[in-house]
Amino acid sequence: MTFWLILVVVFVSGGIGGIANALMSDNGFILPKKIHTQGGGGVWRPGFLGNVLIGGIAAVISWGLYGPFAAYPLLGGAAPAGAGPVSLTLSALVGAVLVGVGGARWLSNEVDKTLLRVAASQAAAAGPDSDKANRILTATPAGAVELTS
């Protein structure tokens, strides 16, 4: 297996981790979109495609830093002494999936944090409403923004 093909397999494995994160979060399989907020601003929601992309990138970065070829020269120079054919281990593959979940989870958490800040700001500006406060308590971050808009 060539080095570049292994890199693609690691990226796809991380993307699978991104899909797993999309299923675990309230993102589900939505497409990327911008949620418009009061005052003309907005929050970008990456959707499952953003989760796949970030999961794949995170897996490639992790594999490049800590994988079996971390010291392998890509351009110029000779391969390290005793380096055999390029291969991919099971642990590297499942590690890529795990890192993909973690990388995509980080992205989802950052978006959710921004959505909750927007919802809190809009709720504070709107004044007290105990019914809406109870609905916000159980809403997803995107749902909380919708309730306060």
Side-chain angles (χ1 to χ4, degrees):
M1 194 181 272
T2 68
F3 175 82
W4 297 106
L5 180 58
I6 291 174
L7 201 61
V8 168
V9 170
V10 168
F11 181 88
V12 169
S13 299
I16 290 169
I19 291 172
N21 177 67
L23 291 172
M24 292 187 301
S25 68
D26 73 320
N27 287 322
F29 282 99
I30 65 168
L31 291 175
K33 65 180 178 181
K34 184 175 184 178
I35 294 179
H36 298 285
T37 59
Q38 295 174 350
V43 177
W44 180 253
R45 294 192 68 198
F48 83 95
L49 292 176
N51 277 297
V52 169
L53 179 65
I54 294 298
I57 290 170
V60 167
I61 290 170
S62 175
W63 187 74
L65 289 172
Y66 306 112
F69 298 103
Y72 201 85
L74 296 179
L75 299 173
V86 179
S87 63
L88 179 65
T89 64
L90 178 62
S91 64
L93 184 68
V94 297
V97 174
L98 179 63
V99 169
V101 171
R105 173 58 62 193
W106 166 80
L107 176 66
S108 297
N109 286 340
E110 289 300 313
V111 171
D112 288 349
K113 186 169 50 173
T114 302
L115 288 170
L116 291 172
R117 270 198 310 265
V118 167
S121 173
Q122 291 178 169
D129 183 343
S130 61
D131 181 51
K132 190 180 285 186
N134 288 331
R135 288 185 294 169
I136 290 171
L137 187 62
T138 59
T140 64
V145 171
E146 287 179 24
L147 285 169
T148 60
S149 293

